[in-house]
């Protein structure tokens, strides 16, 4: 198997990583370029001798590695390294930028913005280069490609714990250096970029409206919108949690799975063209439609990777060249990283690439059934193997990023996944009919029935959220585990017994070291309380090494939550004066006070002055005038304890 893109990809990844992490600046890429040219010249001069030419032919990969390391590090430095002419933190400045991505979360929206212009109060522009900012807001009704302006004070990402330090580093690698907490109403849309993606964005919005107005139940339509169009904001948190606990959350991320299913359906639909003698036409049309689907779903790295891979395989068929799935995957990764070096640290890119690579490496080698003799049994066993090997290779990344791994992934995927193509095909047909003005009762009832049964079974397999194992992994453990997986994969393709034994020993050593490192890894931020930026409720979330628990406090009342270490008091109404002194319990525990808009400020001031309170949290619905009025009534020495969720976003407190 000839892997043409292997060494260019390795060189590109090495250049991006070393240039961004260890050797910033233009010096490293220039050194790589110089070494590449020097090595090529040496090999070229030596190769003039026919006797030596064959011996040095293998060393061409060295200058190729250095050449693409130059491209990777230079591209990252040119397009992702942030530079400013002056310090911009802790200043109220005006920003104009373009939205690159919107993440809709339960408690807030996160908007990645590429900044185009910065100016101060006098209108003076501040010079900068490659600045990305993460906006945290209560909600913004916009889309990628919007040109927006806003005013705010940029804040560095927190790095007071290992957990947040890793997050800050990952954001910086993707070109996001600061964050700003704003309300949605403080973000003004001034235009939008004129691009093909925006045209498809509008088309997607029209499709969503048609689906929402159809005969489908609300839950089914939301599921289809999320599954096929990538709009996960339509799903409830309960649905997401159920699928995540069952090990089926990957179906919600538009990826290679969706591209593969849709491509298979399209090839079946265009099969009559092959019967008519037009073998290439159907495949070319299918690939064109796949790229339209990629644009329609927002051009996620996973869908682009799958589309490039499918395109290369189809073009190999059209041009009558020998096709290689692994080389197509490497080419897809190479193109994505060449266009966007920051994608190297994108979770979706990492998961999709490793999952597909493990499928290509292991599935056929581990399947004991002959493909040609028993193709149906081969397909069924392949499904089981695919489920096992993808989870076996990617669970460490899930543990590293999300700190949990679903235990019932295998039965859930074996039972539920084979039925998904039928649902996707039916949903595609239903959407096409909606587009021409037909709303099929039979199809809508069938899709509703499938969704109900699918979610009921997923809920059963998720064991009501109890089938998730919480694990803490560090980067070293992840690298060791992936090295072991790759070693086993290489071993499967070797024929020499001695070489296999050596690789088995290496893989066992890496697996064992990974587990030992994981066992010795202390859970970072073992006890954390997050006071959520939420307009509709007063709530907090408790995180510890064993569980995640939501704490809700009724509106227009006084309520409390406490244990032997801390107490949270939420006040959103007028209190009887006689009860003020007894609101807090044991004076030896940490105390946190949440203030709602219905609280009386004189009473709150009395509570704050009478007790030693760790943090005074103003709910998101408390306005600036109310906050200023309360601040005036509190002793000056205590004012630095006030934190406004409305102005600064959610607050996490480490206990």
């Amino acid at each position: 198997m000839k892997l043409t893109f292997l060494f260019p990809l390795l060189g590109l990844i090495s250049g991006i990583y070393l240039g961004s992490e260890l050797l910033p600046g233009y010096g490293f890429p220039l050194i790589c370029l110089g070494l590449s040219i020097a090595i090529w010249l040496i090999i070229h001069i030596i190769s003039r001798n026919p006797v030596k030419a064959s011996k040095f032919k293998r060393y061409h990969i060295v200058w190729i590695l250095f050449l693409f390391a130059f491209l990777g590090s230079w591209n990252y430095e040119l397009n992702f390294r942030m530079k400013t002419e002056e310090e911009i933190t802790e200043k109220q400045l005006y920003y104009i930028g373009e939205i690159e991505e919107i993440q809709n979360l339960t408690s807030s929206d996160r908007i990645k913005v590429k900044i185009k212009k910065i100016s101060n109060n006098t209108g003076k522009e501040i010079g900068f280069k490659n600045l990305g900012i993460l906006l945290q807001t209560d909600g913004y009704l916009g889309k990628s490609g919007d040109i927006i302006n806003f005013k705010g004070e940029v804040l560095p990402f927190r790095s007071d714990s290992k957990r947040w330090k890793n997050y800050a580093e990952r954001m910086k690698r993707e070109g996001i250096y600061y964050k700003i907490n704003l309300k949605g109403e403080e973000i003004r849309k001034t235009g939008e970029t004129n691009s093909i993606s925006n045209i498809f964005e509008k088309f997607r919005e029209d499709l969503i409206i048609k689906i929402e107005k159809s005969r489908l139940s609300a839950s089914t339509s939301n599921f289809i919108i999320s599954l096929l169009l990538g709009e996960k904001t339509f799903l409830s948190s309960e649905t997401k949690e159920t699928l995540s606990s069952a090990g089926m959350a990957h179906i919600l991320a538009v990826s290679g799975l969706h591209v593969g299913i849709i491509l298979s359906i399209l090839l079946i639909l265009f099969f009559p063209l092959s019967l008519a003698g037009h073998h290439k036409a159907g495949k070319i049309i299918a690939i064109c439609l796949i790229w339209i689907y990629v644009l329609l779903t927002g051009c996620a790295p996973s869908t682009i990777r799958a589309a490039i891979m499918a395109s290369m395989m189809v073009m190999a068929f059209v041009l009558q060249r020998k096709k290689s799935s692994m080389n197509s995957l490497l080419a897809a990764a190479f193109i994505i990283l060449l266009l966007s070096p920051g994608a190297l640290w994108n979770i979706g890119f990492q998961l999709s690439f490793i999952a597909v690579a493990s499928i290509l490496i292991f599935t056929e080698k581990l399947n004991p059934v002959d493909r040609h003799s028993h193709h149906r049994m081969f397909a069924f066993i392949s499904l089981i193997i695919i489920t096992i090997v993808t989870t076996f290779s990617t669970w460490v990344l899930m543990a590293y990023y999300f700190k949990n791994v679903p235990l019932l992934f295998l039965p859930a995927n074996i039972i539920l996944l084979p039925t998904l193509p039928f649902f996707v095909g039916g949903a595609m047909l239903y959407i096409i009919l909606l587009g021409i003005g037909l709303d099929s009762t039979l199809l809508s009832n069938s899709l509703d029935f499938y969704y109900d049964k699918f979610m009921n079974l997923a809920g059963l397999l998720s064991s009501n959220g109890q089938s998730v194992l919480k694990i803490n992994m560090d980067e070293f453990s992840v690298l060791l585990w992936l090295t072991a997986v790759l070693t086993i994969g290489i071993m499967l393709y070797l024929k020499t017994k001695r070489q296999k034994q050596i690789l088995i020993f290496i893989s066992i050593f890496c697996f064992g070291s990974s587990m030992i490192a994981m066992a010795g890894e202390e859970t970072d931020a073992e006890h954390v309380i997050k006071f959520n930026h939420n307009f509709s409720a007063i709530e907090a979330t408790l995180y510890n090494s064993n569980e995640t628990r939501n704490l809700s406090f009724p509106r227009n009342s006084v309520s409390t939550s406490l244990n032997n270490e801390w107490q949270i008091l939420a006040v959103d109404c007028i209190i009887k004066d006689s009860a003020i002194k007894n609101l807090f319990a044991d004076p030896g525990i940490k105390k946190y006070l949440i203030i709602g808009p219905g609280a009386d400020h004189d009473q709150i001031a009395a509570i704050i002055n009478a007790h030693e309170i760790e943090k005074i949290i103003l709910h998101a619905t408390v306005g600036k005038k109310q906050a200023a009025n309360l601040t005036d009534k509190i002793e000056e020495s205590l004012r630095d304890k006030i934190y406004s969720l409305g102005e600064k976003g959610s607050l996490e407190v480490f206990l």
Side-chain angles (χ1 to χ4, degrees), residues 515-623:
M515 292 296 97
I516 292 172
M518 182 189 71
E521 175 73 7
E522 294 182 3
T523 302
D524 186 54
E526 187 174 1
H527 298 282
V528 179
I529 293 179
K530 179 180 179 181
F531 297 94
N532 298 322
H533 178 275
N534 193 327
F535 280 84
S536 60
I538 301 176
E539 60 180 14
T541 306
L542 173 65
Y543 301 92
N544 59 42
S545 56
N546 299 315
E547 65 172 345
T548 299
R549 183 159 57 96
N550 291 324
L551 307 175
S552 296
F553 305 92
R555 299 298 300 265
N556 304 314
S557 64
V558 179
S559 54
T560 187
S561 179
L562 76 158
N563 66 9
N564 56 1
E565 296 180 356
W566 50 263
Q567 179 181 2
I568 300 173
L569 176 67
V571 180
D572 191 30
C573 67
I574 298 175
I575 314 167
K576 292 182 179 180
D577 292 336
S578 58
I580 290 178
K581 292 184 179 180
N582 300 319
L583 289 174
F584 280 109
D586 184 356
I589 63 176
K590 293 182 177 180
K591 305 175 184 65
Y592 301 93
L593 176 62
I594 304 177
I595 303 169
D600 180 89
H601 292 170
D602 290 320
Q603 292 181 334
I604 294 297
I607 294 171
I608 294 171
N609 294 328
H611 297 278
E612 187 65 30
I613 298 174
E614 294 287 327
K615 207 71 178 177
I616 305 161
I617 300 107
L618 304 181
H619 190 254
T621 52
V622 175

Side-chain angles (χ1 to χ4, degrees), residues 128-193:
F128 68 95
K129 180 183 178 182
N130 300 331
L131 174 60
I133 289 178
L134 184 71
L135 299 183
Q136 295 190 159
T137 175
D138 55 310
Y140 172 72
L141 298 176
K143 61 183 184 301
S144 299
D146 285 354
I147 304 298
I148 59 174
N149 65 39
F150 52 91
K151 179 184 178 183
E153 178 182 310
V154 296
L155 304 170
F157 287 100
R158 287 177 50 188
S159 58
D160 53 354
S161 71
K162 185 176 180 181
R163 173 191 176 191
W164 288 108
K165 184 178 180 181
N166 290 341
Y167 180 74
E169 290 176 351
R170 181 159 59 85
M171 287 289 99
K172 183 180 71 173
R173 289 164 178 168
E174 293 187 38
I176 306 296
Y177 286 84
Y178 300 105
K179 66 176 181 177
I180 298 180
N181 299 306
L182 294 174
K183 294 182 179 179
E185 61 197 39
E186 296 176 303
I187 303 173
R188 293 183 56 227
K189 177 180 174 180
T190 58
E192 58 184 39
T193 55

Side-chain angles (χ1 to χ4, degrees), residues 89-107:
T89 56
E90 299 182 359
K91 292 182 180 179
Q92 285 285 333
L93 299 172
Y94 294 89
Y95 298 87
I96 297 176
E98 178 185 345
I99 295 179
E100 292 188 325
E101 181 184 349
I102 299 178
Q103 298 174 330
N104 303 104
L105 306 177
T106 304
S107 57

